[in-house]
Amino acid sequence: MDDDGEASVAVGAEESRRAAVLRPLVQAYLNGAGSLESGINDAVWELGVSRATVWRWIKRLAEEGGRSSALAPRKRGRPAGTTLISGKVEAVIEEHLRRYYLRRERS
């Protein structure tokens, strides 16, 4: 198997391990059954992550119907193609760059 295949198998195994630890907590979270503190503390210790991460994973699993794929690593940052400024502003910036900064030097 190539390196990418081995890496994806390892990631899949880790997702499954996390899901197995967290599923009982997700059920308790969805049922509103009492305090989850001891279960959260056990999950923090067993998974080696912060309390905030455990809560984030519990909520993600609850939203995704308990599928272990919900725990797959996600790409950080803005989604591709996201723009922060309008096309008009972009055009003004480009025009000024061309007019004032991208001039040929005199020889």
Side-chain angles (χ1 to χ4, degrees):
M1 200 182 309
D2 62 347
D3 288 339
D4 280 344
E6 290 175 6
S8 65
V9 168
V11 169
E14 182 62 17
E15 292 167 10
S16 297
R17 184 179 79 85
R18 290 174 182 170
V21 170
L22 296 174
R23 277 195 185 107
L25 295 172
V26 171
Q27 289 301 316
Y29 172 74
L30 291 174
N31 296 334
S35 176
L36 297 174
E37 287 305 312
S38 66
I40 297 291
N41 291 335
D42 292 344
V44 165
W45 181 83
E46 189 167 341
L47 298 173
V49 295
S50 70
R51 292 176 56 81
T53 299
V54 169
W55 273 110
R56 217 174 8 257
W57 287 346
I58 288 171
K59 290 176 183 175
R60 204 183 302 169
L61 272 174
E63 290 168 1
E64 300 278 332
R67 292 191 312 256
S68 59
S69 62
L71 300 175
R74 295 186 174 177
K75 188 175 179 183
R76 297 178 68 166
R78 288 187 196 95
T82 302
T83 58
L84 298 179
I85 58 177
S86 70
K88 291 179 181 180
V89 173
E90 186 73 39
V92 168
I93 292 171
E94 190 171 329
E95 176 188 343
H96 279 78
L97 283 173
R98 256 190 269 113
R99 181 182 295 167
Y100 298 109
Y101 294 102
L102 298 179
R103 293 181 148 185
R104 290 185 173 244
E105 291 185 14
R106 293 182 185 172
S107 20

